[in-house]
Amino acid sequence: MSAAGSRPNVLMVIVHDLGQHLGCYGAGINTPNLDALAADGICFDNHFCTAAQCSPSRGSIMTGRMPHNNGLIGLAHLGWQIGAQEVTLPMYLNAAGYSTHLIGHQHEHPEPARLGYQDIRAGGDARQGAAAVCEFLREWAGTSRTGHAPSGTSGAAPPFFLNAGWGEPHRPHIREGYDNDDPATVQPLYWLPDRPGIREDVAGMNGLIYRVDECFGQVRQTLAETGLADNTLLIFTTDHGTAMPRAKGTCYDPGLKTTFLAHWPGHFEGGKRYREMLSNMDLLPTLLDLAGARTPAEVEGRSFLPLLEGRDHQPHEVLYSEMTWHDKYNPMRAVRTGRHKYIRNFGDRPLVYLPLDVWNGPAGEAMREDFYSTRRPTHELYDLQQDPLEQHNVFGDPAYAEVGEKLRAQVEQYML
């Protein structure tokens, strides 16, 4: 599949703050177009981000490296950025002969031109972004039939990489022009208590996701109509968990688990679901594999192409995650195995810190007293088999002394 003649186009739609809040992940929301992608293609059940916040997570997708190594340890609009010497996914694909394009939102650098795309176009919200993507696809299909590259590129038509960033379902959840659910009818979030403020927030978030689903359907239809679908790897993903308490801005699974759906006809299809632990750092080396390009040693992610092709694949036994700076300094480091999660907290902070946008929302208001009436412990350890919701900290429990010390030392050594 990595031979020059069979390299696919890559169209990636990435949205904000979605987590796994889709029907195909059991979230109790009607998302027919994205559910169809999961049914036609592949779905990763245990796909994790490196940090449950926008810029650091996206920086890992763009570099295949952890935030503390690529320099993007906080939000780009607050001045953080990928290090000047870092090589990004568009740069790697440029060198591999791809035509690289950004449409819409990015959150990795204050100056998007520094990311290496050959072509950058406005997009904004889902409707604007989908319209721009569909225009691009029609333009590409029309000009590539002549054997020439579309505008913004030169020479014969190469395969393209298109990264389409849409703003939804980032807060505010309640916006004019979106259809919201009735709070009384929504499915409560599995990791939070069932309270009116949380239901209100979920109802608004669902409305934003309906728009994403609608617009994604338009993109997929245009792919088919232009004849580009057969040789295009279509990816739908997000940066981190939902902007809800105990999710975004934490090292708990609701913040770290993310959607990853993909379809490439004849290759990645059939509705197969994968349970292996994967990191969003793994996407870059996987795409380089597909492009027939070498993955440099400094890339920390691991290609999952062998997994998708049924070849020998060494799964991750552990995944690290981190938090350094969101809207304030809030350092945490964590490691997750298939059975346990250990979190090392630094500084005097509330039991669960709420990022400002979550604090200001109805769900944040509903949980403030629970989370801000006590301070968080230095060490947290969870048995994910017995306690998948990470509610019972067993660090210090004699029954978990050995595993707790092992993971504590592992995180400390990793930091060193």
Side-chain angles (χ1 to χ4, degrees):
M1 265 189 282
S2 60
S6 61
R7 300 187 303 170
N9 303 313
V10 180
L11 197 172
M12 180 170 75
V13 176
I14 180 169
V15 299
H16 265 294
D17 298 19
L18 178 68
Q20 294 185 338
H21 197 76
L22 295 175
C24 55
Y25 284 102
I29 178 175
N30 184 29
T31 48
N33 293 300
L34 289 163
D35 295 351
L37 181 67
D40 295 338
I42 58 174
C43 176
F44 293 160
D45 287 328
N46 290 301
H47 186 259
F48 294 86
C49 60
T50 57
Q53 47 179 160
C54 306
S55 297
S57 171
R58 290 164 181 257
S60 291
I61 295 173
M62 284 292 107
T63 64
R65 286 157 53 79
M66 291 293 289
H68 68 266
N69 285 330
N70 66 37
L72 190 58
I73 61 172
L75 299 178
H77 66 278
L78 296 182
W80 302 100
Q81 58 188 267
I82 291 175
Q85 303 306 313
E86 293 292 313
V87 182
T88 65
L89 178 56
M91 295 175 187
Y92 284 123
L93 291 177
N94 289 340
Y98 270 68
S99 175
T100 57
H101 307 260
L102 170 67
I103 294 180
H105 191 80
Q106 65 82 32
H107 210 208
E108 299 95 67
H109 203 288
E111 302 173 43
R114 298 277 295 276
L115 295 173
Y117 294 99
Q118 298 170 11
D119 175 36
I120 298 177
R121 309 184 189 188
D125 62 24
R127 279 188 175 167
Q128 295 167 340
V133 170
C134 292
E135 179 183 4
F136 169 89
L137 294 173
R138 286 188 287 265
E139 175 189 339
W140 189 277
T143 56
S144 61
R145 290 190 190 103
T146 69
H148 298 289
S151 61
T153 63
S154 60
F160 68 76
F161 169 69
L162 169 57
N163 187 10
W166 300 348
E168 298 95 338
H170 196 285
R171 289 178 178 273
H173 284 168
I174 304 299
R175 304 189 203 175
E176 185 177 352
Y178 291 81
D179 295 327
N180 301 322
D181 279 343
D182 179 351
T185 66
V186 303
Q187 177 175 300
L189 299 176
Y190 65 87
W191 68 90
L192 291 176
D194 187 0
R195 295 177 181 173
I198 296 172
R199 283 181 169 268
E200 178 186 347
D201 241 353
V202 172
M205 179 175 66
N206 286 356
L208 301 181
I209 296 171
Y210 295 144
R211 177 68 55 79
V212 167
D213 185 75
E214 167 198 326
C215 294
F216 182 81
Q218 295 168 4
V219 168
R220 197 169 183 203
Q221 181 179 348
T222 303
L223 258 182
E225 292 172 351
T226 55
L228 293 170
D230 286 347
N231 197 39
T232 297
L233 170 58
L234 178 60
I235 297 169
F236 180 85
T237 190
T238 186
D239 43 15
H240 53 75
T242 57
M244 289 289 187
R246 220 170 188 269
K248 180 178 181 177
T250 75
C251 287
Y252 302 121
D253 275 7
L256 296 172
K257 271 192 171 183
T258 60
T259 292
F260 192 95
L261 310 174
H263 183 220
W264 182 16
H267 301 277
F268 310 149
E269 58 184 359
K272 185 168 184 181
R273 300 186 78 114
Y274 293 87
R275 298 283 302 164
E276 287 83 357
M277 288 199 307
L278 297 167
S279 167
N280 63 355
M281 290 194 304
D282 297 335
L283 180 59
L284 182 146
T286 303
L287 293 182
L288 293 188
D289 259 5
L290 282 169
R294 183 184 66 85
T295 298
E298 59 267 23
V299 169
E300 298 172 88
R302 183 184 303 163
S303 173
F304 52 78
L305 185 58
L307 173 67
L308 302 185
E309 294 182 335
R311 296 185 281 117
D312 287 340
H313 174 260
Q314 183 180 2
H316 290 286
E317 294 183 1
V318 300
L319 288 177
Y320 292 95
S321 58
E322 61 189 66
M323 174 80 176
T324 303
W325 193 295
H326 195 69
D327 40 37
K328 70 181 297 183
Y329 186 50
N330 183 30
M332 294 178 274
R333 297 292 185 266
V335 64
R336 190 193 198 280
T337 71
R339 173 72 185 266
H340 298 99
K341 165 85 67 66
Y342 167 80
I343 303 171
R344 174 69 162 93
N345 296 307
F346 299 86
D348 182 19
R349 298 288 182 269
L351 181 64
V352 177
Y353 177 72
L354 300 176
L356 186 59
D357 61 335
V358 180
W359 170 275
N360 287 333
E365 185 175 357
M367 297 302 300
R368 288 177 195 171
E369 185 174 346
D370 298 67
F371 294 156
Y372 279 68
S373 59
T374 186
R375 314 311 286 175
R376 71 186 180 193
T378 300
H379 307 279
E380 297 178 65
L381 178 66
Y382 300 98
D383 183 335
L384 301 174
Q385 189 176 87
Q386 302 297 322
D387 178 27
L389 302 186
E390 301 165 283
Q391 300 291 324
H392 307 291
N393 181 10
V394 294
F395 193 88
D397 184 329
Y400 291 90
E402 183 177 351
V403 68
E405 177 56 27
K406 177 184 176 181
L407 295 181
R408 183 206 64 76
Q410 199 166 328
V411 166
E412 182 174 307
Q413 183 59 41
Y414 181 72
M415 292 177 66
L416 290 173

